[in-house]
Amino acid sequence: MTDLDLLELRRVSRHFGSFRALDEVDLTVRPGARHAVIGPNGAGKSTLFGLISGTLPATAGTILVDGQDVTRLPVERRVALGVAATFQHSSLFLRETVLENVLLAVVRRAAGTGFGLGGLRKVSARAEAIARARTLLERVGLPTRHDTPAAALSHGERRQLEVAVALATEPRLLLLDEPAAGMSPAETARLTELIAALPRDVTVLLIEHDLDMVFELADTVTVMHLGRHLKTGSPDEVRGSAEVQSAYLGTMEVSS
Ligand code: ADP
Ligand code: MG
């Protein structure tokens, strides 16, 4: 590892019984990177994110965030270190409103810094949290939906809300698992703009099937195949790689 890496995976594996969903994967992510992870269904991409975010324990290997070993840390400790994820399957509170969903995440982040839920009882703290939630909703393009229950949002709006929820934890590393899945072309374009506009102090690790989106956003692309790391390079290197082409690109949809 160079001391420049924000995330480093060393020979990380995840087995389910005798099945190797991830098999000794090495990966480094530089601070400020727009790093995409691609690969066919079943390649192990979501499993990889589970291991990085802490929702799934690693079977073997080491995961470092900013040089700190987080391999055995629970999710909340990783959130406090700046790791946030949106998942392939939504984790929104559907009965709560849009604003409440973001507020819960603001509070969750504050809890990690010792602020605690009780802190929100203070009027000033509550006003500050609400102001922050409103700013985030504006940033993701949901400025007029505060009081709508999350369940009533369109598919694309839910994804935007998930990004706001993730950003509310003030991540240094934002993991996005297929954020454009099921989106219309217009919604995908809006989401692409949103990700492109994120400040560079948020490093983005993006799993995405929509290769147009990947090649528009990413400065680095990692290809996974059957639980293994196949190749990491610039978008052009990956696109031009005969190994990647034959192993995989020809078998994948170009957009979802
Ligand atoms: P991807 O996100 O690249 O499509 P996943 O990481 O979801 O791939 O899955 C990788 C492989 O691990 C798949 O074959 C999947 O069936 C398997 N897998 C994922 N989660 C589990 C689990 N909880 N139990 C058993 N097998 C799993
Ligand atoms: Mg997946």
Side-chain angles (χ1 to χ4, degrees), residues 35-214:
H35 193 135
V37 179
I38 64 174
N41 277 333
K45 307 181 298 297
S46 293
T47 302
L48 184 77
F49 272 29
L51 265 55
I52 298 169
S53 64
T55 55
L56 198 62
T59 305
T62 306
I63 302 170
L64 302 165
V65 172
D66 222 3
Q68 181 173 343
D69 187 344
V70 303
T71 318
R72 312 265 165 250
L73 291 187
V75 174
E76 293 306 322
R77 295 278 303 282
R78 299 192 206 196
V79 169
L81 285 173
V83 180
T86 72
F87 297 99
Q88 194 168 5
H89 302 290
S90 173
S91 54
L92 295 175
F93 297 99
L94 292 178
R95 286 191 202 164
E96 318 306 329
T97 68
V98 165
L99 187 67
E100 284 163 347
N101 268 276
V102 182
L103 271 176
L104 283 166
V106 170
V107 170
R108 187 174 174 217
R109 165 62 171 167
T113 59
F115 169 90
L117 257 178
L120 261 202
R121 292 194 193 106
K122 285 187 205 141
V123 174
S124 59
R126 193 161 59 214
E128 202 176 300
I130 291 174
R132 219 178 112 52
R134 285 178 188 278
T135 305
L136 286 165
L137 286 169
E138 204 159 304
R139 194 149 140 209
V140 301
L142 290 173
T144 63
R145 306 288 265 157
H146 295 169
D147 301 323
T148 308
L153 296 179
S154 74
H155 185 80
E157 288 171 329
R158 281 191 202 187
R159 292 278 160 170
Q160 285 166 283
L161 177 55
E162 283 163 19
V163 175
V165 165
L167 289 177
T169 67
E170 295 175 28
R172 286 191 296 161
L173 176 64
L174 177 61
L175 310 170
L176 301 168
D177 193 350
E178 300 201 22
M183 281 192 169
S184 70
E187 287 173 334
T188 302
R190 207 176 311 136
L191 180 73
T192 305
E193 256 176 56
L194 162 63
I195 296 169
L198 290 174
R200 283 283 156 170
D201 56 8
V202 181
T203 301
V204 178
L205 191 57
L206 167 78
I207 294 174
E208 189 44 64
H209 258 301
D210 184 333
L211 291 188
D212 293 337
M213 185 177 181
V214 166

Side-chain angles (χ1 to χ4, degrees), residues 235-250:
D236 282 345
E237 282 165 352
V238 165
R239 236 187 315 224
S241 156
E243 182 194 20
V244 171
Q245 298 261 347
S246 67
Y248 153 69
L249 277 181

